[in-house]
Amino acid sequence: MKRVAAEYAPPVAGGRPTSVRQAAVIAEIIRDTTANPAPLGLMGFGITTVLLNLHNAGLIPIGSAILAVGLLGGGLAQIVAGGVEWKKKNTFGTVAFTSYGFFWISLVVLILAPRFGLAEATDRSGMAAYLFVWGLFTVVMFVATLKMNRAIMLVFFALALLFFLLAVADATGSDALTRVAGYEGIACGLGAIYIGAAQILNEVYGRTVLPLGSMD
């Protein structure tokens, strides 16, 4: 991409464009040709969220499958997506994918650290605080989605609700509320998978296969 710009860009003085028109031409030549990273992050987040909340709903035990996907799908895949969003100058995508990627990694560490004698297990009040502050962060991200589309807005609303439900469940010790949060979290994860699928299929087919609900 840089070689093309060097060959076809108009002359510059001192390394800078000599006119506004030349700057516009250079900007047109040096354009972003990288793929959309959002489906990777959305799928990683969605799959991990569904698996963990199958556990919260009492349907499966927490085991190596959930922990592995938490580290690699929810964690690494989202951080990679966030890095590409940074290259695309997408602040929301960078912050969202990178932050939730590290959330999943921190959650796995939180679970495993006591088993390896690295730290004491977090009690219910500590887990409630941990989940509550992530809920506050998600509220901020939710407000940003009000300028995007209805699908992403609903997913972030569901995610904020999930964090607060789990925080209250830990604070009160309510297993019933944890199961309710689990089913709500499954819906949240499926929503993220839907958005990822929509972005892939809509791009491949060149038309709206799965609608996202424009805010216009």
Side-chain angles (χ1 to χ4, degrees), residues 26-102:
I26 293 173
E28 176 64 22
I29 294 172
I30 307 176
R31 58 186 180 275
D32 183 13
T33 58
T34 57
N36 177 14
L40 171 64
L42 287 162
M43 289 294 188
F45 171 83
I47 291 169
T48 311
T49 301
V50 168
L51 283 174
L52 179 61
N53 284 286
L54 286 171
H55 163 70
N56 288 333
L59 301 177
I60 61 173
I62 190 164
S64 58
I66 294 175
L67 297 177
V69 173
L71 280 175
L72 301 176
L76 181 60
Q78 285 200 94
I79 292 170
V80 169
V84 181
E85 292 284 19
W86 171 80
K87 184 177 179 62
K88 289 176 172 290
K89 299 182 180 180
N90 181 351
T91 302
F92 178 87
T94 301
V95 174
F97 287 132
T98 305
S99 297
Y100 291 119
F102 281 113

Side-chain angles (χ1 to χ4, degrees), residues 135 138-139 155-167 181 184-185:
T138 305
V139 168
V155 166
F156 272 83
F157 176 81
L159 181 58
L161 180 59
L162 173 61
F163 278 124
F164 290 133
L165 284 173
L166 289 173
E184 195 271 347

Side-chain angles (χ1 to χ4, degrees), residues 1 23 26 33 38 47 63 65 75 85 102-103 115 119 121-122 150 155 162 170 188 195 197 201 209 215:
M1 186 165 60
I26 293 173
T33 58
I47 291 169
E85 292 284 19
F102 281 113
F103 161 76
R115 300 182 185 181
T122 303
R150 288 180 175 83
V155 166
L162 173 61
D170 272 309
C188 176
I195 298 172
L201 296 176
V209 177
M215 302 294 280

